[in-house]
Amino acid sequence: MEHIREITKIAEWGLRKDAVRVAAYLNQLIDKLEAEGDKKDVLRLKELLDASGSTVQTSGIGSRPRLPVDGESRLALADEEIPTEAGFPVVLDGGTSRRVEEFISFVKNSDELEAHGVGGSPSLITYGPPGTGKTQLARYIAGRLNMPLVVARADTLISSYLGSTSKNLRTLFDHVSARRCILFLDELDAFAKLRDDQQELGELKRVVVSLLQNLDNMNPQTVLLAATNHEHLLDPAIWRRFTFKIPLSPPGPNERDQMMRLFFGDYATNLDLSALSVLAETVTGSDIKTLAQDAIRDAVIRKQKTIDQERLIWRLIAIRIKRDVSPGDLTPEDLRAIQALNPVFFNGKRLAEMLNTSTATISRKLKTRSE
Ligand SMILES: Nc1ncnc2c1ncn2[C@@H]1O[C@H](COP(=O)(O)OP(=O)(O)OP(=O)(O)O)[C@@H](O)[C@H]1O
Ligand SMILES: [Mg+2]
């Protein structure tokens, strides 16, 4: 029988008196019937839905559902984005990219997988240092799956009113269960931060339990993404709920090269990308993007068609030694720090050229100890 999955789910949640989920599966059935051109049944089911007074709206047709708000502050509990694949490119190493592709095909085939009894809510958590592309990857995935991304707002979700956080979570999960979308819990560790405050420990336990309950009851059609900088702070039970766990780290040499091409675009032509990529060792994707955008902005303002490689190297130095350095006024410490970044590249001859001086001056300065 066609659409048996939706019908079974409607029956299941109907018997459990869960109107929100009944409406969610009814919406999915309507979407499928509409795609098949079955106008008569679509109309009948829509009337039924309207008559029930359900606030759940049909995904994919009509206006978008209104985002849920916090009961006290009336602030939105989430933001909604509709990312496109091209708008959020990601550069990943081979292994990471394969895992992401696996996840995407898991979601795309979720109906089939469920029919064979090996389905379940697709969930993925990314973790790693700031600026490594966790948020970008969530948007890229949403673009690839062509689904709206509902980004939870930790600041509003975590209410100062006791017990309200759990209520907010419930409201948000109900909202995403009722439509075809991706729920993105960015900076998931925000929930774990309550742990720092002894008085908040009781509340934290309640929030964790509530998060777990919501995760367990999630509509299998809802795709869940999460990101964290501090995976150790997460409750192990929450961590276990994610089927895909993907670490992100600063890019390796190949990825740095690809990022440079991506971020510099047409301005890459006159640059020695391999030298820059070597010098960008240890920096994050976010740093490379900032480097490129600053340099392009600079070129546009100076009405130049190309980027000056020398200036770029100085910017890269500043990022890596984490302080601004000016070639006109370098201390021996600055010079030693620069050389330590890459002694082969920043040899005496290169430093002398960069500072427009002699190698003898450079070596004297390198040996100078400050009092
Ligand atoms: N691997 C990557 N591929 C493509 N772009 C990247 C990558 N890493 C970082 N970026 C760029 O850097 C910017 C910042 O990345 P993003 O916000 O995704 O980092 P994050 O890991 O979420 O950081 P945080 O932990 O601070 O939230 C993005 O706009 C993106 O363009
Ligand atoms: Mg982020």
Side-chain angles (χ1 to χ4, degrees), residues 1 56 220 235 261 292 305:
M1 187 180 165
V56 182
D235 189 281
R261 275 173 225 291
K305 296 236 171 339

Side-chain angles (χ1 to χ4, degrees), residues 306-361:
T306 55
I307 287 172
D308 181 39
Q309 168 114 353
E310 197 75 10
R311 287 168 71 89
L312 207 53
I313 290 178
W314 281 107
R315 281 180 202 272
L316 202 42
I317 289 173
I319 291 176
R320 286 199 60 194
I321 67 175
K322 297 188 173 62
R323 59 174 184 269
D324 266 336
V325 277
S326 111
D329 150 42
L330 275 193
T331 65
E333 280 72 31
D334 290 338
L335 206 56
R336 281 193 287 273
I338 294 171
Q339 194 170 52
L341 292 177
N342 189 325
V344 179
F345 186 87
F346 293 116
N347 54 31
K349 188 163 163 275
R350 164 100 15 74
L351 287 173
E353 275 166 21
M354 283 169 61
L355 294 169
N356 210 2
T357 181
S358 67
T359 47
T361 315

Side-chain angles (χ1 to χ4, degrees), residues 296-304:
I296 295 173
R297 209 172 291 127
D298 202 55
V300 171
I301 291 170
R302 292 160 162 265
K303 304 206 182 324
Q304 286 170 345

Side-chain angles (χ1 to χ4, degrees), residues 130-131 133-136 184 186-187 227 229:
K134 300 181 294 295
T135 304
Q136 177 92 354
F184 181 31
D186 202 359
E187 301 176 17
N229 290 340

Side-chain angles (χ1 to χ4, degrees), residues 54-116:
S54 167
T55 51
V56 182
Q57 294 183 24
T58 314
S59 59
I61 16 179
S63 56
R64 280 201 251 139
R66 192 174 297 161
L67 290 167
V69 295
D70 174 74
E72 305 291 335
S73 65
R74 311 305 297 165
L75 292 170
L77 297 174
D79 293 313
E80 185 174 333
E81 299 176 13
I82 317 272
T84 58
E85 181 188 341
F88 297 95
V90 281
V91 177
L92 304 169
D93 64 74
T96 308
S97 172
R98 272 191 293 281
R99 285 295 282 160
V100 171
E101 288 307 318
E102 246 176 75
F103 179 74
I104 290 172
S105 50
F106 181 84
V107 178
K108 283 188 171 165
N109 294 294
S110 57
D111 276 358
E112 185 90 15
L113 292 170
E114 201 171 327
H116 286 83

